[in-house]
Amino acid sequence: QQIQEDLNKQLLENLVSFLSRSHSNFQEKTTEWTCRMKFREIPTAALVLGVNVTDHDLTFRGLSDVLQDNITPYVALLEAKDCPGTKNLMQKLMGQLMNCDIDVDSLEDEDCVQVSRNKIRCSMSSLISWYESVKKKTDSETPSKKRNSSSRHWQSPPIVVIFKDMESFTTKVLQEFIVISSQHIHELPLVLIFGIATSPMIIHRLLPHSVSSLLCIELFQSLSCKEHLSTIIDKLLLTSQFPFKLGEKVLQVLINIFLYHDFSVQNFIKGFQLCIVEHFYSQPLSVLCCQVEDIKKRAYSLSHDQCENIRRLPSFRRHVEKQESGKQVALLTNDSFLKEETVKLLEDLHVYHENYVSILRCLHVFTSSLPKYPLGKQIRELHCACLENRVWETEEYESSLQLARMLNKTDLVNMLQQCVEILMSSSGREFDKTAEKLKEFLTQFQNLEAEASQEQDVSVSSQKELQKKTDLYHLQKTLLELKESRRPKKLTKFEMLRFEVVDYIDSLVRKYLVPAEDRTLHEIVYFNTANVLRGHLNAAPRTALHTALNNPHWYLKNQALKCDGGGISNKAPDICIVYKLHLECGRLINLVDWLEAFSTVVMAAEEPNADAASSDQVDDTIHARFIRAVSELELLGFIKPSKQKTDHVARLTWGGC
Amino acid sequence: LAKKAKEQKMGNLVEEYFEAHSSSKVLTSDRTLQKLRKRRLTQQTLRDLLKNAPVAYAAEIRDLNQQHESLFSKWMLQLHLGFNIVLYGLGSKRDLLEKFRTSLLQDSVHLVVNGYFPSITVRSILNSITEEVLDHIGTFRSPLDQLEFITKRFKEDSSLELYVLIHNLDSQMLRGERSQQILAQLSSLPSIYLIASIDHINAPLMWDQAKLSLYNWLWYETTTFNPYVEETSYENSLLVQQTGSLALSSLMHVLHSLTLNARGIFRLLAQHQLEKKDNPSYPGLSFQDFYQQCREAFLVNSDLTLRAQLTEFRDHKLIRTKRGADGVEYLLIPVDDSTLTDFLEKEDEDV
C-alpha cells in the first residue's frame, strides 16, 4: 500500500503539472489580454472550454492564480450554483473580493478590512434591507475600496470576475449583473471572464442585444480534450518511468469511456487510479512492481508463499516449460534460484519496455503519415494494436507496409531523421547500433539526392535537346528512348534502398514490439482485468436489476430456479413472479387481474404441500406477499399508481426491459 | 455482425416503446378491488402476515450476502483513497450497510441517513453534521452557508473524519437537484467518506457530469434479494389501507363520538348519495334540499344548527362542499360507495 500511495501521488503530481503546463500557454494569453484591456466598456473574455466540465476547475484555479500573481487584480470566481439570484451573486462577489483583499495586503490597514467585513455580516443579518445594502455596497463601498487600493498599487487594478459555467447561470441574474456593473464601469474597472462549455453562440442566446452591446467580447479557444488525452497517454503510459502498465483491454475500456461518454480527463485519471488500486490490492505479486533499483531488494525478501505465487503464474509456467529439465527442477523447488531468475526476468521486462516505447514511436512516425491511416492516426491506437496481439500478423500492418514501400523520398528522409532523433534520445543502450544503421541510411539518401540532382541535370539537358527538335517523329522516338533509359536505372537504386529501409524497420518491429503477454512475468506489472474496471466505473444498474428479476438463478444458485428463457417459474422469489407477470401487460395493469394471476402461479407451487382447508389463511398470506412485491416494484420505479382508472397501475418501462 | 445485431435490438426497443404508447385506449378489464369482496389489509396485519410467510431461498441469499461482506475491507481502502461507493442491485441493501457499519465503523464517527424516511431533508442531514459532529450550535440562513461552514471546518481540522451512510440516496426527498448538489459537494470533501445505496431504475438520471465527478463513485453491484421491509413501509401502496384518505374504520370512529342527531344527519346524506350512485353526473345534495329533509326527520331545528354540524363534518373531512354552476352549494361524501354501503350496514347492526 505504501508503494501504491507513492505511485498515486507521483502520478497525480505529474498529471497536475502537465495540465497546468498545457494551460499556461492559454492562460498567458488571457492574462496579457486582461492587462491590455482597461477602461473600456466591459471587457469580456469568453473561454471556449469544451464539454468536459469536470476538468475546468483546474483551469480556472490556475487562471486565477496566474492573474493574482501577475500584477493584476482581485479575482472572484463565481459558480452558477452559488448564485440563484442577483443578491446571492453580489454577496458572493463581495465576499470573494474582500477575501482577495485580505490575501493580497494582509498587513496593511487591517481595521479597514475588518470594518468592511462587519458590514457584510450586518447586511446579511438584516434581510429586509438587503437590497439597499447591496446597492450601497456596490455604489459606495467598492469604488472607495478601489480608490484606496489603487493608490497603493501602481495603477488601478481591474477586478476580474470569472463566471465558471456560463450555461447554468440564469439569464436574468446575468443580465442584471451586467447592466449594474456597466453603470459603474467608470469608477470600477471590471473584467468579466465567461467559461463556455458549448459554443460562443450561447452568449447571444443568453443575453439580449441591449445587454450584449455593453460587453466587449474577445474569444479564446482552449485545447481540445482529445489532445489532452493523447498527451496524457504519452506521458503516462508510454514512459518507462512508471513501473505500472495497463493491459490492452483495460486501456481500451478507459479510452472508450473517454471518447464515447464524457471527454473528461479527470475521469480518465480516476479510472487509471482505480486500476492502480485494484492491481495492488488483488495481485499478490504486485510488490515487485517497482523501479529497477528496488527490484533486487524486494525480490530477495520474498517469502516462500510468494515464490509459490510466482510459480503459479501462467506466463512463468510457459517459461519453465521452455527450459531444460535440470533447470526446471531448480526453478520449481529452489527458492533462491527462483529469486535470481525472477530478478533477471524483471530486469529483462524493464529493458523491453524501454525498447518498446522508442520503437513504437518510430513506427508511429511511419504509420501516421500514411494515407487512410491503416494502423491508426494516434499513437494510442498503435499502442493498443501492439498490445493486443502480434502486430505484424494483422492485415492493417501488412497494408501499411505496402503503403510505406511507395513513399517518396523527401518524406522518407524526414521520417528517418525523426526516428534517429527518437532513438538518440532514448536511454536504451541497444539502440546505438540501430541509430547508426539509420544514419547510414540517411547519408545514403543524401548521396542519392546528389546523384539525383546530377541526373536531373542530364534530363534537363535532354529536354533541351527535345526542344530543339521540331520533328514529331523524332520527338516521339527520343521520348521513348528517354523513358526506357530512365526507368530501370534511376528508380532501382532508390527503390532498393527504400525496400531495405522498410524491411529493416519491419525487422525492428518484429524484434521489439512483441505483445506484452508473451513476456514472462508480465502479470506483475500489467493490469488486465477489464471487466472489474468496467463494472466499477461504468455500471449498469438497470441491467443488474433486469437479470436479477428475470433469471434469479444467476444470483441465487439453486437448482429449482433454473428454467428456460420465457416461462414463469413458480418457484422464483415473489418479486420475480410479479415482475414477469407485469412484463406481459401493456401500459396499464389491472391490480385485480394481476393479483389473481399471481395467486394462481403461487398456488401451483404450493399445491403439493398445502391443504385446501387452510385456503383462507393461505389466501391472506398470498395477498400480503403480493402487496409487498408490488410495492417493491413501485419502489424500484417499474410501476406507478395511476389515476386513469380505478385500481390500476401504469407501467413505466416498455418492452422486455 | 455483433453491431448489426445490436442495431436490430435497438430498433426493436424503439418499436416496442411506440407500440406500448401508440394506442391511447388501453385494454384492461374493469374489475376493481372493491368487487373482490375482500377487506383491505392494514399495515399492521400486513406485517404480521409477512412475518409468518417463509423466506424463500434463505441459504442462497445468505451466501450472496457473505460474498458482498467479503468486500468490506476493500471498500474501506477505496474510501480512504478518495472514492465514494454506491451500491446497486435488487434487494434491500440496508442490512448489508448496517453490517458494514457495525463491523468496521464502530469506533469512528459515522452518520447514518435513512433516505427512505419520508420526512428526511438535506437540511436535517447537514444539521446533524454541524450539531453532533462539529459541536456547533447555531443556525444557518441557507444550506449553502451551512455547507460552506462544514467545508471550512473540515479543511481546517484534518483530524476530523466522517463516514456517511445513506440508505436509498434516490428516495423521494433526496432526489431533488439541489439536495443532490449539496450531497455531492459534501461527498467531495476528502475527509468525508460516503457510502450510499440506490434502488430506483432511473436513479443515475439525477446526476450530471459535474455531480458525478464530485461524487467520484465506485459502483458495486450488490444484489441481495432481501425484501425491502423498512423501505416499503413508507411507500403507500394502492392495496394497503391508506391513512391519508378516509377509511371505514376512521369513519366509524369519528361518528361514534358524535351525537345521535349528528349521526342521523350523516346517515341521511349517505343514503341519498347511495341512491344516486348510478348517476355519474350527480352533483351532490344541495344544501336547501338537505335542510328540508333534515327538518322533516326532526334532526335540526334551524338553518344555523345544520350549518354548524356541517362545519364539524367538514373539519373531520367527512364531507366536501362544491359550488355548482348555478351557485348552489352541493354536499358530497368523499368516500367510496362500497365503504359507504359497509358503513350503513354496520350502522344498522348497531341500531
Side-chain angles (χ1 to χ4, degrees), chain A residues 515-538:
Chain A
E517 257 145 67
D518 292 356
R519 306 292 303 195
T520 314
L521 292 185
H522 71 87
E523 286 94 339
I524 291 178
V525 290
Y526 279 86
F527 176 68
N528 228 342
T529 41
N531 51 352
V532 177
L533 186 70
R534 197 182 295 134
H536 289 334
L537 286 183
N538 206 2

Side-chain angles (χ1 to χ4, degrees), chain A residues 79 221 236 253-254 256 287 315 327 345 584 649:
Chain A
E79 282 181 69
Q221 200 85 31
L236 273 186
V253 166
L254 284 181
N256 278 352
V287 210
S315 71
K327 209 175 165 193
L345 284 171
E584 289 169 4
V649 289

Side-chain angles (χ1 to χ4, degrees), chain A residues 12 125 138 166 176 256 324 356 403 412 458 510 526 550 605 616:
Chain A
L12 285 181
S125 60
T138 31
M166 175 92 173
E176 272 172 12
N256 278 352
E324 68 262 33
Y356 174 87
L403 286 171
L412 200 58
V458 175
R510 274 165 205 270
Y526 279 86
N550 243 339
D616 198 35

Side-chain angles (χ1 to χ4, degrees), chain B residues 144-272:
Chain B
L144 280 175
D145 285 351
Q146 203 163 2
L147 186 70
E148 211 164 292
F149 173 77
I150 292 170
T151 322
K152 222 175 94 205
R153 281 295 300 274
F154 272 95
K155 285 222 172 101
E156 276 168 9
D157 193 350
S158 58
S159 65
L160 277 174
E161 282 188 339
L162 175 65
Y163 294 85
V164 182
L165 285 86
I166 303 183
H167 303 292
N168 292 75
L169 187 60
D170 51 347
S171 64
Q172 284 297 344
M173 298 307 295
L174 297 181
R175 67 172 62 149
E177 152 85 31
R178 283 176 58 79
S179 12
Q180 286 295 329
Q181 177 70 47
I182 287 167
L183 286 176
Q185 272 172 293
L186 203 61
S187 74
S188 70
L189 290 178
S191 48
I192 288 185
Y193 313 113
L194 176 71
I195 303 187
S197 66
I198 57 168
D199 287 302
H200 199 277
I201 42 171
N202 293 328
L205 289 183
M206 60 190 176
W207 300 316
D208 59 14
Q209 285 274 326
K211 287 196 202 84
L212 278 179
S213 83
L214 282 177
Y215 270 126
N216 209 5
W217 287 130
L218 277 191
W219 297 80
Y220 274 91
E221 177 175 344
T222 53
T223 303
T224 59
F225 277 97
N226 283 342
Y228 292 97
V229 181
E230 291 289 319
E231 287 90 331
T232 50
S233 66
Y234 297 105
E235 192 98 354
N236 289 332
S237 175
L238 285 170
L239 301 159
V240 187
Q241 244 171 35
Q242 275 161 27
T243 44
S245 84
L246 207 50
L248 182 60
S249 62
S250 49
L251 197 68
M252 296 297 291
H253 205 75
V254 171
L255 282 174
H256 274 300
S257 62
L258 291 175
T259 60
L260 211 63
N261 275 3
R263 271 197 266 177
I265 294 171
F266 189 78
R267 239 180 105 93
L268 211 64
L269 190 60
Q271 271 166 357
H272 192 80

Side-chain angles (χ1 to χ4, degrees), chain B residues 112-122 124-125 171 173-174:
Chain B
V112 180
V113 178
N114 294 325
Y116 51 81
F117 193 63
S119 57
I120 191 126
T121 56
V122 183
S124 59
I125 298 174
S171 64
M173 298 307 295
L174 297 181

Side-chain angles (χ1 to χ4, degrees), chain A residues 171-391:
Chain A
T171 23
K172 200 167 139 262
V173 172
L174 257 186
Q175 284 172 25
E176 272 172 12
F177 177 72
I178 289 172
V179 171
I180 291 173
S181 50
S182 76
Q183 309 250 298
H184 301 289
I185 190 69
H186 294 294
E187 308 106 79
L188 184 72
L190 272 172
V191 175
L192 310 181
I193 297 179
F194 295 145
I196 295 173
T198 49
S199 78
M201 275 302 291
I202 193 77
I203 299 176
H204 300 291
R205 203 165 311 149
L206 278 181
L207 304 175
H209 182 70
S210 57
V211 176
S212 60
S213 64
L214 294 172
L215 302 174
C216 168
I217 302 172
E218 188 150 335
L219 212 65
F220 292 89
Q221 200 85 31
S222 80
L223 277 178
S224 82
C225 40
K226 253 161 117 184
E227 276 161 65
H228 277 222
L229 177 71
S230 41
T231 10
I232 280 182
I233 287 180
D234 222 47
K235 288 257 146 69
L236 273 186
L237 305 178
L238 300 178
T239 53
S240 42
Q241 214 177 337
F242 296 113
F244 173 78
K245 308 278 178 213
L246 290 182
E248 183 267 333
K249 288 215 186 74
V250 175
L251 184 60
Q252 204 71 54
V253 166
L254 284 181
I255 289 177
N256 278 352
I257 291 178
F258 180 87
L259 289 181
Y260 296 114
H261 288 260
D262 53 10
F263 287 121
S264 157
V265 177
Q266 217 142 53
N267 280 0
F268 187 84
I269 296 165
K270 176 189 160 194
F272 194 79
Q273 238 174 314
L274 181 66
C275 289
I276 296 176
V277 175
E278 278 287 325
H279 181 71
F280 283 91
Y281 187 82
S282 56
Q283 177 65 253
L285 288 171
S286 56
V287 210
L288 292 175
C289 179
C290 54
Q291 307 289 355
V292 200
E293 307 89 60
D294 302 339
I295 288 180
K296 227 173 213 161
K297 214 170 65 208
R298 291 197 190 159
Y300 286 126
S301 60
L302 286 181
S303 66
H304 177 70
D305 287 344
Q306 281 169 317
C307 291
E308 283 302 311
N309 277 331
I310 293 179
R311 286 182 191 126
R312 238 171 275 142
L313 291 179
S315 71
F316 188 75
R317 290 222 188 138
R318 277 201 302 268
H319 178 70
V320 169
E321 276 159 23
K322 276 184 222 146
Q323 310 296 324
E324 68 262 33
S325 57
K327 209 175 165 193
Q328 266 184 7
V329 174
L331 275 178
L332 290 179
T333 51
N334 190 347
D335 274 0
S336 59
F337 185 69
L338 174 82
K339 282 174 190 170
E340 260 167 53
E341 182 77 10
T342 317
V343 171
K344 215 163 66 202
L345 284 171
L346 281 176
E347 274 162 2
D348 275 356
L349 206 58
H350 271 274
V351 172
Y352 156 75
H353 281 312
E354 279 169 16
N355 298 345
Y356 174 87
V357 171
S358 29
I359 294 294
L360 188 75
R361 282 179 205 278
C362 286
L363 185 62
H364 179 238
V365 167
F366 265 85
T367 53
S368 62
S369 58
L370 296 176
K372 283 193 186 164
Y373 314 107
L375 273 172
K377 200 176 184 176
Q378 309 276 356
I379 198 163
R380 58 161 195 270
E381 291 162 296
L382 196 64
H383 183 51
C384 278
C386 289
L387 282 177
E388 198 175 359
N389 43 31
R390 286 155 212 266
V391 73

Side-chain angles (χ1 to χ4, degrees), chain B residues 286-287 307 322-330:
Chain B
S286 71
F287 180 76
R307 276 202 191 278
K322 202 164 61 176
R323 217 168 267 284
D326 45 355
V328 184
E329 232 179 327
Y330 289 106

